[in-house]
Amino acid sequence: MQTVSCPSCGAEVNFRSHASVMAVCEYCNTRVLKEAGAVKDLGKISSVLEDYSPIQIGTSGVLGGRNFTVAGRIQLRYDAGMWNEWYLIFDDGANGWLGDASGQYTVTMLRTPPKQVPSFEELRAGQRYTLVGAPYTVADVRTAQCIGGQGELPFKVGDGWQAKVADFRHGSNFLTLDYSDEGPPLLYTGVSVTLESMQCQLLRDPEEIKRTTGRYRGKLDTLGCPSCGTQINYLPGLTASLVCQSCQTQIDASSPKAEVIAKGEQHDREYFSLPLGAKGKLGNQDFTVIGVMRRADDEGTGWTEYLLYGSRNGFTWLVETEDGWSRANVMDQWPYSEGLGAPQVTLDKADYNKLYDYNSVVTYAAGAFNWRVQVGDHTHVYEYKRQQVVLAAEATASELGWSRSTPVAVDQLKAWFGDAVKVKTPEVPRHAIAQDFSTDRCKRSAKNWIMGMVALNAIPLLFNFSSAIVYTLFAAAAIYVPAAIIDALDDTLKK
């Protein structure tokens, strides 16, 4: 470790790795450039926005039998949200990056790029390319701005530094092409991970997260809508977009100061089976409903999606359709397919057959979301099913994601949320009830007459069966056939 004095305030600045080029003074946010025998003041950088990530400088873990320590981070913001890139230093001297986006984690390390790579401009979500000997699918393509830095870093970076990156996935393998600098893009390869799988230590505990989150912005966990004043619950530093449930005003919550993106119009509040702010316990995890949106397909069939957040398990979704409820989670490991829209995909050696392929549009949104959402947003959805499990791919021009959902019984939902669940029981209209009783009314009357006639002729049937049965059947037919004809004509007229 090398320790130098900050050229701005004189405080100690530590460099744990010889590969680190720059460090941010934790006292005055000065960017300190390490040069041969000296340090240089590169000016200030914005403080990072304390978010709900449990990772911090000093967090340690194990990956592939190699110990690492988190030494720094940069915070990046793009048009639909923000994420953290944590700089890792391994005990053997190597370094890498831990991507941290809404509770999804990837670890990547710099590799030698292949000779042939696509240009940044030609990349589209869902395209497939053979890279490092495997078929990778483009997961997202984005241009982001640096909005803050912390700790030590392997290159010079400051406010406004622009990152042009494209992420690719192949199963649980992850790959990034970085087009930020002039010349050929940099190649980073790695895997999707969890904090548990890396045996992470020195993580922030839930109480510390709750105490420090949003400290930079100086906001609480509610915000008055700048348009109509309605209080909106949100997670500072984690939810990138707010939509007022009363007036549909869109608010950017990913910058130091909440700003109105677009004003909406006042309207009556919508009815939801799970209201915003409802709290539930899924297993041993506490979750809160922080966002809700309605979507519809090409034919106008609609459904409702509820975004839930838990301090330990991050985000999860509950989806309400005409057929019932399901719970959905974003997938870190993607299924294998021959391309978007393929008739079949494979996950963990199990095949899933294609169900549907349709366009989806957001028709209503309210609450807080970890990406920017607005009415009119379009995605294309591909659904695949095996037994009770559904895999869904949702694609736009710049982003592709997979989710996995399983059915949830209403009784289970009520066990999770108790009295907060307001599932409506469909009411049968009075005219429908009347119509139901009026259906086949003549045939029912005819059957009653026939049964009465048989009862009256029971004794003659016993003593003279052969002749009595003929008259009885003839009389029954004379009663039933006209009744059936009348009911059929009545049904035709109703249609």
Side-chain angles (χ1 to χ4, degrees):
M1 179 185 294
Q2 181 182 4
T3 301
V4 300
S5 295
C6 172
S8 178
C9 71
E12 289 187 351
V13 178
N14 296 318
F15 287 88
R16 295 175 177 83
S17 171
H18 292 295
S20 299
V21 171
M22 188 193 93
V24 180
C25 176
E26 63 178 303
Y27 295 98
C28 68
N29 290 336
T30 294
R31 295 178 296 149
V32 180
L33 178 66
K34 181 177 66 174
E35 295 181 326
V39 292
K40 183 179 180 180
D41 185 341
L42 294 179
K44 307 289 186 180
I45 189 172
S46 296
S47 299
V48 294
L49 175 64
E50 289 295 353
D51 56 22
Y52 269 63
S53 175
I55 304 169
Q56 61 183 338
I57 302 295
T59 292
S60 61
V62 181
L63 183 67
R66 303 160 68 198
N67 296 322
F68 67 83
T69 302
V70 175
R73 74 162 151 172
I74 56 175
Q75 214 163 47
L76 296 158
R77 179 186 177 195
Y78 66 111
D79 59 355
M82 59 181 289
W83 82 97
N84 294 306
E85 290 287 348
W86 299 91
Y87 179 50
L88 306 181
I89 297 175
F90 290 84
D91 286 356
D92 59 8
N95 59 75
W97 291 93
L98 172 58
D100 172 10
S102 297
Q104 285 190 289
Y105 304 100
T106 57
V107 172
T108 57
M109 300 182 70
L110 185 63
R111 306 294 186 192
T112 302
K115 294 181 180 179
Q116 297 292 330
V117 294
S119 66
F120 184 75
E121 290 71 24
E122 71 180 82
L123 293 174
R124 296 290 183 275
Q127 292 177 332
R128 296 211 312 165
Y129 295 91
T130 299
L131 299 167
V132 296
Y136 278 83
T137 301
V138 180
D140 58 68
V141 184
R142 61 184 60 157
T143 300
Q145 306 286 332
C146 175
I147 60 171
Q150 182 184 22
E152 57 189 283
L153 298 165
F155 52 80
K156 291 188 293 183
V157 64
D159 292 346
W161 176 77
Q162 191 175 80
K164 296 171 64 177
V165 293
D167 294 332
F168 300 74
R169 288 184 181 267
H170 171 67
S172 60
N173 295 322
F174 191 84
L175 182 151
T176 296
L177 285 175
D178 186 344
Y179 298 81
S180 303
D181 299 324
E182 295 292 335
L186 300 177
L187 172 68
Y188 296 85
T189 61
V191 293
S192 297
V193 294
T194 64
L195 301 182
E196 291 79 9
S197 69
M198 295 188 296
Q199 305 171 44
C200 284
Q201 304 293 321
L202 299 178
L203 295 168
R204 295 197 299 160
D205 61 60
E207 287 302 317
E208 182 184 359
I209 292 173
K210 184 177 180 180
R211 177 175 55 83
T212 61
T213 295
R215 180 177 58 194
Y216 171 48
R217 185 182 290 117
K219 297 291 184 182
L220 300 175
D221 58 357
T222 59
L223 175 72
C225 172
S227 181
C228 71
T230 299
Q231 293 296 303
I232 307 171
N233 293 319
Y234 78 113
L235 304 173
L238 185 64
T239 46
S241 176
L242 308 178
V243 183
C244 177
Q245 59 183 318
S246 296
C247 69
Q248 290 290 281
T249 291
Q250 294 174 254
I251 305 163
D252 179 13
S254 64
S255 58
K257 181 180 179 181
E259 298 176 347
V260 172
I261 302 170
K263 289 190 175 182
E265 296 181 356
Q266 195 83 19
H267 63 85
D268 295 334
R269 291 197 177 189
E270 297 275 335
Y271 169 86
F272 299 110
S273 300
L274 277 176
L276 284 169
K279 298 182 182 298
K281 198 174 189 66
L282 284 65
N284 61 347
Q285 301 295 319
D286 294 322
F287 282 89
T288 303
V289 178
I290 64 170
V292 60
M293 66 177 177
R294 288 205 167 107
R295 299 166 69 187
D297 62 17
D298 301 314
E299 298 178 353
T301 301
W303 64 94
T304 306
E305 299 182 0
Y306 302 86
L307 178 60
L308 280 60
Y309 179 77
S311 60
R312 285 199 288 169
N313 276 29
F315 297 101
T316 192
W317 289 91
L318 287 175
V319 182
E320 180 185 14
T321 71
E322 293 179 349
D323 299 325
W325 289 76
S326 61
R327 179 180 178 180
N329 290 94
V330 177
M331 298 174 64
D332 291 320
Q333 178 182 351
W334 283 16
Y336 175 80
S337 73
E338 294 296 334
L340 282 178
Q344 194 174 70
V345 300
T346 303
L347 178 67
D348 294 332
K349 299 182 179 180
D351 293 330
Y352 292 74
N353 295 317
K354 184 178 178 182
L355 272 181
Y356 307 113
D357 176 355
Y358 57 91
N359 288 311
S360 162
V361 61
V362 176
T363 59
Y364 177 89
F369 300 90
N370 55 329
W371 83 103
R372 185 171 296 174
V373 61
Q374 61 183 343
V375 172
D377 283 349
H378 287 266
T379 58
H380 199 85
V381 184
Y382 306 85
E383 291 189 6
Y384 297 83
K385 188 174 184 179
R386 176 183 173 86
Q387 297 176 353
Q388 296 297 309
V389 179
V390 174
L391 306 181
E394 296 193 26
T396 65
S398 60
E399 192 167 0
L400 170 67
W402 280 88
S403 62
R404 179 181 184 273
S405 63
T406 52
V408 173
V410 173
D411 289 343
Q412 179 64 72
L413 194 71
K414 292 181 177 178
W416 287 342
F417 288 93
D419 295 337
V421 181
K422 306 295 182 183
V423 179
K424 276 186 174 180
T425 302
E427 296 183 0
V428 181
R430 291 183 178 273
H431 67 83
I433 298 174
Q435 182 178 355
D436 180 67
F437 279 102
S438 65
T439 301
D440 294 340
R441 64 185 188 280
C442 294
K443 286 192 288 186
R444 284 200 299 271
S445 297
K447 289 177 183 178
N448 293 333
W449 278 99
I450 292 170
M451 290 175 65
M453 181 180 64
V454 171
L456 290 174
N457 288 277
I459 295 176
L461 283 171
L462 289 174
F463 289 96
N464 191 9
F465 181 82
S466 58
S467 60
I469 190 62
V470 173
Y471 293 110
T472 302
L473 291 175
F474 179 80
I479 295 172
Y480 188 81
V481 172
I485 293 173
I486 292 172
D487 281 340
L489 290 173
D490 189 43
D491 290 340
T492 302
L493 291 174
K494 288 178 181 178
K495 294 178 181 179

